[in-house]
mmCIF file with all atom_site columns, all heavy atoms in Angstrom:
data_model
loop_
_atom_site.group_PDB
_atom_site.id
_atom_site.type_symbol
_atom_site.label_atom_id
_atom_site.label_alt_id
_atom_site.label_comp_id
_atom_site.label_asym_id
_atom_site.label_entity_id
_atom_site.label_seq_id
_atom_site.pdbx_PDB_ins_code
_atom_site.Cartn_x
_atom_site.Cartn_y
_atom_site.Cartn_z
_atom_site.occupancy
_atom_site.B_iso_or_equiv
_atom_site.pdbx_formal_charge
_atom_site.auth_seq_id
_atom_site.auth_comp_id
_atom_site.auth_asym_id
_atom_site.auth_atom_id
_atom_site.pdbx_PDB_model_num
ATOM 1  N N   . ALA I 1 156 ? 118.575 -48.993 112.617 1.00 97.00 ? 156 ALA I N   1
ATOM 2  C CA  . ALA I 1 156 ? 119.597 -49.575 111.731 1.00 97.00 ? 156 ALA I CA  1
ATOM 3  C C   . ALA I 1 156 ? 120.965 -49.664 112.405 1.00 97.00 ? 156 ALA I C   1
ATOM 4  O O   . ALA I 1 156 ? 121.892 -50.247 111.861 1.00 97.00 ? 156 ALA I O   1
ATOM 5  C CB  . ALA I 1 156 ? 119.702 -48.745 110.453 1.00 97.00 ? 156 ALA I CB  1
ATOM 6  N N   . ILE I 1 157 ? 121.077 -49.081 113.604 1.00 96.00 ? 157 ILE I N   1
ATOM 7  C CA  . ILE I 1 157 ? 122.384 -49.017 114.266 1.00 96.00 ? 157 ILE I CA  1
ATOM 8  C C   . ILE I 1 157 ? 122.705 -50.331 114.959 1.00 96.00 ? 157 ILE I C   1
ATOM 9  O O   . ILE I 1 157 ? 121.980 -50.753 115.863 1.00 96.00 ? 157 ILE I O   1
ATOM 10 C CB  . ILE I 1 157 ? 122.419 -47.844 115.284 1.00 96.00 ? 157 ILE I CB  1
ATOM 11 C CG1 . ILE I 1 157 ? 122.243 -46.509 114.555 1.00 96.00 ? 157 ILE I CG1 1
ATOM 12 C CG2 . ILE I 1 157 ? 123.714 -47.867 116.065 1.00 96.00 ? 157 ILE I CG2 1
ATOM 13 C CD1 . ILE I 1 157 ? 122.108 -45.319 115.486 1.00 96.00 ? 157 ILE I CD1 1
ATOM 14 N N   . GLY I 1 158 ? 123.752 -50.974 114.497 1.00 94.00 ? 158 GLY I N   1
ATOM 15 C CA  . GLY I 1 158 ? 124.237 -52.194 115.145 1.00 94.00 ? 158 GLY I CA  1
ATOM 16 C C   . GLY I 1 158 ? 123.288 -53.375 115.025 1.00 94.00 ? 158 GLY I C   1
ATOM 17 O O   . GLY I 1 158 ? 123.428 -54.365 115.735 1.00 94.00 ? 158 GLY I O   1
ATOM 18 N N   . THR I 1 159 ? 122.332 -53.283 114.105 1.00 94.00 ? 159 THR I N   1
ATOM 19 C CA  . THR I 1 159 ? 121.325 -54.337 113.992 1.00 94.00 ? 159 THR I CA  1
ATOM 20 C C   . THR I 1 159 ? 121.537 -55.211 112.765 1.00 94.00 ? 159 THR I C   1
ATOM 21 O O   . THR I 1 159 ? 120.889 -56.243 112.620 1.00 94.00 ? 159 THR I O   1
ATOM 22 C CB  . THR I 1 159 ? 119.911 -53.712 113.852 1.00 94.00 ? 159 THR I CB  1
ATOM 23 O OG1 . THR I 1 159 ? 119.925 -52.853 112.699 1.00 94.00 ? 159 THR I OG1 1
ATOM 24 C CG2 . THR I 1 159 ? 119.532 -52.909 115.078 1.00 94.00 ? 159 THR I CG2 1
ATOM 25 N N   . GLY I 1 160 ? 122.396 -54.760 111.846 1.00 91.00 ? 160 GLY I N   1
ATOM 26 C CA  . GLY I 1 160 ? 122.557 -55.469 110.586 1.00 91.00 ? 160 GLY I CA  1
ATOM 27 C C   . GLY I 1 160 ? 121.433 -55.160 109.609 1.00 91.00 ? 160 GLY I C   1
ATOM 28 O O   . GLY I 1 160 ? 121.387 -55.675 108.498 1.00 91.00 ? 160 GLY I O   1
ATOM 29 N N   . LYS I 1 161 ? 120.490 -54.304 110.058 1.00 92.00 ? 161 LYS I N   1
ATOM 30 C CA  . LYS I 1 161 ? 119.358 -53.923 109.205 1.00 92.00 ? 161 LYS I CA  1
ATOM 31 C C   . LYS I 1 161 ? 119.619 -52.544 108.622 1.00 92.00 ? 161 LYS I C   1
ATOM 32 O O   . LYS I 1 161 ? 119.306 -51.525 109.249 1.00 92.00 ? 161 LYS I O   1
ATOM 33 C CB  . LYS I 1 161 ? 118.081 -53.877 110.060 1.00 92.00 ? 161 LYS I CB  1
ATOM 34 C CG  . LYS I 1 161 ? 117.055 -54.889 109.607 1.00 92.00 ? 161 LYS I CG  1
ATOM 35 C CD  . LYS I 1 161 ? 115.862 -55.018 110.521 1.00 92.00 ? 161 LYS I CD  1
ATOM 36 C CE  . LYS I 1 161 ? 114.971 -53.836 110.699 1.00 92.00 ? 161 LYS I CE  1
ATOM 37 N NZ  . LYS I 1 161 ? 113.843 -54.090 111.612 1.00 92.00 ? 161 LYS I NZ  1
ATOM 38 N N   . THR I 1 162 ? 120.248 -52.495 107.451 1.00 93.00 ? 162 THR I N   1
ATOM 39 C CA  . THR I 1 162 ? 120.539 -51.196 106.829 1.00 93.00 ? 162 THR I CA  1
ATOM 40 C C   . THR I 1 162 ? 119.260 -50.626 106.224 1.00 93.00 ? 162 THR I C   1
ATOM 41 O O   . THR I 1 162 ? 118.433 -51.377 105.729 1.00 93.00 ? 162 THR I O   1
ATOM 42 C CB  . THR I 1 162 ? 121.516 -51.367 105.635 1.00 93.00 ? 162 THR I CB  1
ATOM 43 O OG1 . THR I 1 162 ? 122.340 -52.468 105.906 1.00 93.00 ? 162 THR I OG1 1
ATOM 44 C CG2 . THR I 1 162 ? 122.341 -50.130 105.418 1.00 93.00 ? 162 THR I CG2 1
ATOM 45 N N   . ALA I 1 163 ? 119.169 -49.299 106.230 1.00 95.00 ? 163 ALA I N   1
ATOM 46 C CA  . ALA I 1 163 ? 118.096 -48.682 105.437 1.00 95.00 ? 163 ALA I CA  1
ATOM 47 C C   . ALA I 1 163 ? 118.395 -49.009 103.978 1.00 95.00 ? 163 ALA I C   1
ATOM 48 O O   . ALA I 1 163 ? 119.560 -49.091 103.587 1.00 95.00 ? 163 ALA I O   1
ATOM 49 C CB  . ALA I 1 163 ? 118.096 -47.179 105.652 1.00 95.00 ? 163 ALA I CB  1
ATOM 50 N N   . THR I 1 164 ? 117.370 -49.196 103.166 1.00 97.00 ? 164 THR I N   1
ATOM 51 C CA  . THR I 1 164 ? 117.627 -49.394 101.740 1.00 97.00 ? 164 THR I CA  1
ATOM 52 C C   . THR I 1 164 ? 118.142 -48.069 101.182 1.00 97.00 ? 164 THR I C   1
ATOM 53 O O   . THR I 1 164 ? 117.855 -47.000 101.741 1.00 97.00 ? 164 THR I O   1
ATOM 54 C CB  . THR I 1 164 ? 116.343 -49.781 100.982 1.00 97.00 ? 164 THR I CB  1
ATOM 55 O OG1 . THR I 1 164 ? 115.422 -48.677 101.071 1.00 97.00 ? 164 THR I OG1 1
ATOM 56 C CG2 . THR I 1 164 ? 115.701 -51.036 101.563 1.00 97.00 ? 164 THR I CG2 1
ATOM 57 N N   . PRO I 1 165 ? 118.884 -48.123 100.072 1.00 98.00 ? 165 PRO I N   1
ATOM 58 C CA  . PRO I 1 165 ? 119.337 -46.863 99.468  1.00 98.00 ? 165 PRO I CA  1
ATOM 59 C C   . PRO I 1 165 ? 118.165 -45.923 99.204  1.00 98.00 ? 165 PRO I C   1
ATOM 60 O O   . PRO I 1 165 ? 118.288 -44.715 99.395  1.00 98.00 ? 165 PRO I O   1
ATOM 61 C CB  . PRO I 1 165 ? 120.000 -47.321 98.163  1.00 98.00 ? 165 PRO I CB  1
ATOM 62 C CG  . PRO I 1 165 ? 120.451 -48.720 98.429  1.00 98.00 ? 165 PRO I CG  1
ATOM 63 C CD  . PRO I 1 165 ? 119.425 -49.301 99.365  1.00 98.00 ? 165 PRO I CD  1
ATOM 64 N N   . GLU I 1 166 ? 117.006 -46.479 98.827  1.00 98.00 ? 166 GLU I N   1
ATOM 65 C CA  . GLU I 1 166 ? 115.832 -45.626 98.554  1.00 98.00 ? 166 GLU I CA  1
ATOM 66 C C   . GLU I 1 166 ? 115.346 -44.944 99.833  1.00 98.00 ? 166 GLU I C   1
ATOM 67 O O   . GLU I 1 166 ? 115.049 -43.746 99.832  1.00 98.00 ? 166 GLU I O   1
ATOM 68 C CB  . GLU I 1 166 ? 114.679 -46.451 97.950  1.00 98.00 ? 166 GLU I CB  1
ATOM 69 C CG  . GLU I 1 166 ? 114.945 -47.003 96.569  1.00 98.00 ? 166 GLU I CG  1
ATOM 70 C CD  . GLU I 1 166 ? 115.931 -48.186 96.553  1.00 98.00 ? 166 GLU I CD  1
ATOM 71 O OE1 . GLU I 1 166 ? 116.060 -48.887 97.596  1.00 98.00 ? 166 GLU I OE1 1
ATOM 72 O OE2 . GLU I 1 166 ? 116.589 -48.396 95.523  1.00 98.00 ? 166 GLU I OE2 1
ATOM 73 N N   . GLN I 1 167 ? 115.283 -45.730 100.925 1.00 98.00 ? 167 GLN I N   1
ATOM 74 C CA  . GLN I 1 167 ? 114.828 -45.134 102.200 1.00 98.00 ? 167 GLN I CA  1
ATOM 75 C C   . GLN I 1 167 ? 115.803 -44.042 102.658 1.00 98.00 ? 167 GLN I C   1
ATOM 76 O O   . GLN I 1 167 ? 115.390 -42.966 103.090 1.00 98.00 ? 167 GLN I O   1
ATOM 77 C CB  . GLN I 1 167 ? 114.780 -46.207 103.298 1.00 98.00 ? 167 GLN I CB  1
ATOM 78 C CG  . GLN I 1 167 ? 113.591 -47.143 103.215 1.00 98.00 ? 167 GLN I CG  1
ATOM 79 C CD  . GLN I 1 167 ? 113.697 -48.263 104.249 1.00 98.00 ? 167 GLN I CD  1
ATOM 80 O OE1 . GLN I 1 167 ? 114.769 -48.816 104.486 1.00 98.00 ? 167 GLN I OE1 1
ATOM 81 N NE2 . GLN I 1 167 ? 112.579 -48.604 104.858 1.00 98.00 ? 167 GLN I NE2 1
ATOM 82 N N   . ALA I 1 168 ? 117.098 -44.335 102.571 1.00 98.00 ? 168 ALA I N   1
ATOM 83 C CA  . ALA I 1 168 ? 118.090 -43.362 103.031 1.00 98.00 ? 168 ALA I CA  1
ATOM 84 C C   . ALA I 1 168 ? 118.057 -42.119 102.152 1.00 98.00 ? 168 ALA I C   1
ATOM 85 O O   . ALA I 1 168 ? 118.003 -40.989 102.657 1.00 98.00 ? 168 ALA I O   1
ATOM 86 C CB  . ALA I 1 168 ? 119.486 -43.997 103.032 1.00 98.00 ? 168 ALA I CB  1
ATOM 87 N N   . GLN I 1 169 ? 118.053 -42.323 100.838 1.00 98.00 ? 169 GLN I N   1
ATOM 88 C CA  . GLN I 1 169 ? 118.035 -41.186 99.912  1.00 98.00 ? 169 GLN I CA  1
ATOM 89 C C   . GLN I 1 169 ? 116.807 -40.297 100.151 1.00 98.00 ? 169 GLN I C   1
ATOM 90 O O   . GLN I 1 169 ? 116.899 -39.078 100.151 1.00 98.00 ? 169 GLN I O   1
ATOM 91 C CB  . GLN I 1 169 ? 118.084 -41.690 98.466  1.00 98.00 ? 169 GLN I CB  1
ATOM 92 C CG  . GLN I 1 169 ? 117.733 -40.657 97.391  1.00 98.00 ? 169 GLN I CG  1
ATOM 93 C CD  . GLN I 1 169 ? 118.630 -39.422 97.379  1.00 98.00 ? 169 GLN I CD  1
ATOM 94 O OE1 . GLN I 1 169 ? 119.780 -39.475 97.832  1.00 98.00 ? 169 GLN I OE1 1
ATOM 95 N NE2 . GLN I 1 169 ? 118.109 -38.303 96.893  1.00 98.00 ? 169 GLN I NE2 1
#
Side-chain angles (χ1 to χ4, degrees):
I157 297 173
T159 58
K161 243 172 63 180
T162 330
T164 64
E166 293 74 25
Q167 283 174 319
Q169 166 59 25

